Amino acid sequence: MRDGVSSSAHHSDEHAASTVGQRGDAVTDHGFDRSEWIRRLATALEDWGPLMRFSGDIGHMGRMLSYSEFLTLSKTGNYQLAETNSHWFWSFTNLNQNSIPAETRALVISDPNELANLTEFESLSMHLRKDPDLTGILSLFQEHPIIHTMLENSGGNEGIRISVPRGDFLLEMKTLAQNLVELTIKTDGKHAAKSLDCFLHLGGRRELQGYAVTLFYGLKLHEQVNIGEGTLIAPYEVANQVYELPRRLTEMLERSSLPNEGESITVLVREFKWGTGAPSSPRAGHNLDLDWNIDYRFLGDSEIVLDILSVAIRGPLAARAYYFGVDRWLEEIDRNFAFGRIGGGGHPYDGWWTEKQLSDEDEAVFHDMIRGWQEYQGKRNVLNRAIRRLATSYNRPGMQGAEDSILDYATTLEILYDPGSTEVTYRLATRAAYFVGSNAKERKEIFDNVRAFYGVRSSLVHGREVGNDKFWKAVENGRDLARRTLLKLLSAKRPPDWDNLVLTGTGM
């Protein structure tokens, strides 16, 4: 961690290249020389560029550009690659006329008298034929032992299967070559070749970095809080600076109403590592020691993590968007890496609440609960249901919400104590007394509170009137016992032997 933020998931282009430079000098994989392969691929990529043809088009003006002019222009414009039926093209866009670089004007307009027509300037397209001869580059690809093995395992020679955090896709060799040509134009051939080699070797070792973020409301933070290795919660502004969250996330949030005017957006970030490849082993003779499985923690369970945080702070949280991302330099290998998966929703809220601030005590409780949840030895799906119901109880405003919370607490307690289907109240009260109570006085108090709580629950379910004081006492007791039970169960990391606990006072 650096200043409390893990920087492992944020390789820059330069870092990716330097990583390969550090590892690429050795001769490995049965005589394969990575440094020499990188040099040859870089040369092939550089040699291919001048064979391209470029045309400039501004309104009805334009002229053919040389390769060197295009390279100069590519350094000055904000461009993206698009596709038509006949060619690829780079589109340069400048909506603010005053920001058009002088280099761009000089390259595109040779007649100074035509400069006035730049008020019509919208875009400049550079065209690349879709049927380039990439034979030499494709042959070099197959010399790399990782690509060679992956192509053999895929049963063909058109592409390799890439396992990404959100699924998988087929990376075609021709598309890969075109992407590297584009990267060569933006940077140079050596950088493009090193980036590909870095991707292959880091992916083969399951060392490609990624991260998952979940955006939620209801908690105000002034600085980030580290939960564990590669896991943190932080204010949106902090997370955005470190992880460069995509614009689409911001747009989703702008369309989503905050529970209260001006409430904060907080981000849960979990970093993970993942790898490339097809789900099969390399052939004999290719001893690459590749592991094709994605390897990460927490992914896909952001809601239960937020539920645990909600229980820790005793307040409701509402998830609004989540995103799977990867290091930005991977986007240059293929755009399928670019945005991961973006979604929204999760834990709709019934009403408005006062935003909570994370206290030192709440943070300590959350750390303990997360650690216990990760190491829990019982039935995880059953435990998660109890956590979810208890978290939901904090999200029920008004009198009707309080009545519903009684049912939440009863459900949570019955999941955690597993009293069976007969004598539920007595068995649950006894188990709770011995599990949570530390002395005879506390056990008697807990036993009586459970019986009173279930009396109120029974009255509500059967439509009988309940006195106001008795009702709110049941709400308080049910919430307190459910939370204390959950915290102690997570601290123990496994459920007790209930019969021994009641009979002998032991069983943990």
Side-chain angles (χ1 to χ4, degrees):
M1 296 284 188
R2 181 187 61 205
D3 298 330
V5 179
S6 173
S7 60
S8 60
H10 312 292
H11 297 285
S12 64
D13 296 339
E14 293 77 15
H15 179 74
S18 65
T19 299
V20 179
Q22 294 166 3
R23 302 181 180 180
D25 296 328
V27 177
T28 59
D29 299 324
H30 302 282
F32 174 69
D33 190 330
R34 292 175 65 183
S35 296
E36 177 62 15
W37 181 84
I38 290 171
R39 185 193 66 77
R40 291 167 59 208
L41 178 58
T43 300
L45 292 170
E46 294 281 4
D47 290 346
W48 197 86
L51 302 178
M52 299 161 60
R53 292 176 62 83
F54 306 95
S55 63
D57 183 16
I58 298 181
H60 298 290
M61 301 177 295
R63 65 182 179 85
M64 296 302 297
L65 300 180
S66 68
Y67 180 61
S68 61
E69 287 176 323
F70 176 77
L71 290 180
T72 302
L73 185 61
S74 68
K75 302 291 193 296
T76 67
N78 176 23
Y79 64 98
Q80 295 179 331
L81 185 68
E83 179 181 0
T84 69
N85 292 330
S86 60
H87 58 263
W88 303 85
F89 67 88
W90 282 268
S91 178
F92 292 76
T93 303
N94 286 278
L95 299 179
N96 182 353
Q97 309 305 320
N98 295 327
S99 67
I100 300 174
E103 300 93 329
T104 302
R105 292 182 293 178
L107 280 170
V108 178
I109 306 296
S110 56
D111 184 352
N113 295 324
E114 296 289 345
L115 288 177
N117 292 327
L118 279 179
T119 55
E120 301 176 4
F121 179 74
E122 291 182 356
S123 65
L124 170 66
S125 297
M126 300 293 125
H127 298 268
L128 160 64
R129 293 180 298 112
K130 284 192 67 176
D131 57 347
D133 183 6
L134 300 168
T135 305
I137 297 175
L138 295 176
S139 297
L140 280 169
F141 283 172
Q142 297 207 41
E143 289 184 18
H144 197 293
I146 293 180
I147 290 183
H148 182 77
T149 300
M150 293 174 73
L151 288 174
E152 282 190 335
N153 291 334
S154 68
N157 58 4
E158 295 184 357
I160 56 179
R161 182 66 58 180
I162 306 298
S163 298
V164 295
R166 66 190 185 281
D168 63 296
F169 71 94
L170 184 69
L171 177 56
E172 296 182 350
M173 292 293 97
K174 186 174 180 179
T175 300
L176 177 60
Q178 291 170 333
N179 292 346
L180 291 179
V181 169
E182 178 193 359
L183 180 55
T184 299
I185 293 172
K186 291 170 61 178
T187 56
D188 57 61
K190 185 177 182 180
H191 174 84
K194 282 188 173 183
S195 295
L196 174 60
D197 182 69
C198 183
F199 163 70
L200 293 170
H201 279 268
L202 291 180
R205 298 188 182 103
R206 293 191 303 177
E207 293 178 358
L208 287 168
Q209 299 289 337
Y211 57 93
V213 300
T214 303
L215 280 65
F216 62 97
Y217 305 139
L219 180 67
K220 184 176 182 61
L221 292 178
H222 298 291
E223 58 185 10
Q224 71 182 42
V225 175
N226 300 311
I227 301 171
E229 184 178 356
T231 306
L232 58 90
I233 53 177
Y236 179 86
E237 296 77 12
V238 173
N240 193 28
Q241 289 176 2
V242 177
Y243 293 90
E244 298 179 283
L245 304 182
R247 174 63 187 170
R248 288 175 60 193
L249 272 180
T250 304
E251 293 172 349
M252 288 181 63
L253 291 170
E254 289 173 349
R255 295 194 300 267
S256 175
S257 299
L258 287 169
N260 280 318
E261 183 70 23
E263 285 213 325
S264 306
I265 302 169
T266 306
V267 181
L268 168 68
V269 182
R270 284 84 54 79
E271 296 180 356
F272 55 86
K273 294 182 179 180
W274 58 285
T276 67
S280 56
S281 301
R283 285 189 179 185
H286 297 284
N287 185 22
L288 303 179
D289 192 26
L290 299 182
D291 190 334
W292 308 111
N293 297 320
I294 301 173
D295 183 24
Y296 50 78
R297 298 167 65 188
F298 282 156
L299 205 57
D301 51 32
S302 58
E303 286 190 6
I304 197 66
V305 175
L306 290 184
D307 285 339
I308 294 174
L309 181 59
S310 178
V311 173
I313 68 172
R314 300 179 179 88
L317 302 174
R320 277 296 171 266
Y322 53 89
Y323 165 69
F324 297 165
V326 298
D327 281 356
R328 293 302 175 92
W329 66 272
L330 288 170
E331 298 177 23
E332 297 176 334
I333 303 298
D334 190 273
R335 285 168 193 80
N336 285 291
F337 296 126
F339 292 110
R341 181 180 66 164
I342 295 178
H347 269 285
Y349 54 87
D350 298 325
W352 293 4
W353 58 75
T354 301
E355 187 174 61
K356 296 278 290 185
Q357 294 198 26
L358 188 67
S359 67
D360 292 342
E361 180 184 356
D362 292 340
E363 181 181 342
V365 170
F366 180 55
H367 276 273
D368 291 341
M369 292 182 68
I370 280 290
R371 189 179 301 111
W373 175 73
Q374 288 179 277
E375 301 174 7
Y376 188 69
Q377 300 299 310
K379 296 179 180 179
R380 181 70 65 85
N381 61 330
V382 174
L383 176 69
N384 287 353
R385 285 202 300 271
I387 294 171
R388 185 168 296 113
R389 287 305 294 260
L390 182 54
T392 300
S393 72
Y394 294 104
N395 191 20
R396 297 196 185 280
M399 185 61 186
Q400 181 178 344
E403 291 179 354
D404 290 338
S405 70
I406 291 281
L407 304 181
D408 290 325
Y409 304 141
T411 302
T412 301
L413 291 171
E414 290 178 29
I415 290 174
L416 296 178
Y417 285 107
D418 190 21
S421 57
T422 60
E423 297 184 315
V424 172
T425 301
Y426 175 79
R427 290 161 65 90
L428 196 154
T430 304
R431 292 181 177 186
Y434 278 91
F435 185 61
V436 178
S438 58
N439 54 55
K441 180 181 179 182
E442 284 189 3
R443 288 169 186 161
K444 176 66 165 58
E445 183 180 1
I446 292 171
F447 184 89
D448 292 341
N449 286 342
V450 171
R451 292 178 65 87
F453 169 82
Y454 267 88
V456 172
R457 173 193 175 277
S458 179
S459 295
L460 291 175
V461 170
H462 295 95
R464 296 191 293 268
E465 292 295 326
V466 179
N468 194 57
D469 291 343
K470 192 175 183 180
F471 172 80
W472 289 109
K473 184 66 173 178
V475 171
E476 179 183 346
N477 287 339
R479 178 172 57 232
D480 178 68
L481 179 60
R483 188 173 186 271
R484 290 174 65 189
T485 301
L486 177 61
L487 266 59
K488 188 166 184 178
L489 199 64
L490 290 176
S491 177
K493 300 181 177 60
R494 60 185 176 87
D497 182 331
W498 294 113
D499 290 337
N500 280 339
L501 180 67
V502 172
L503 292 174
T504 67
T506 62
M508 294 301 297

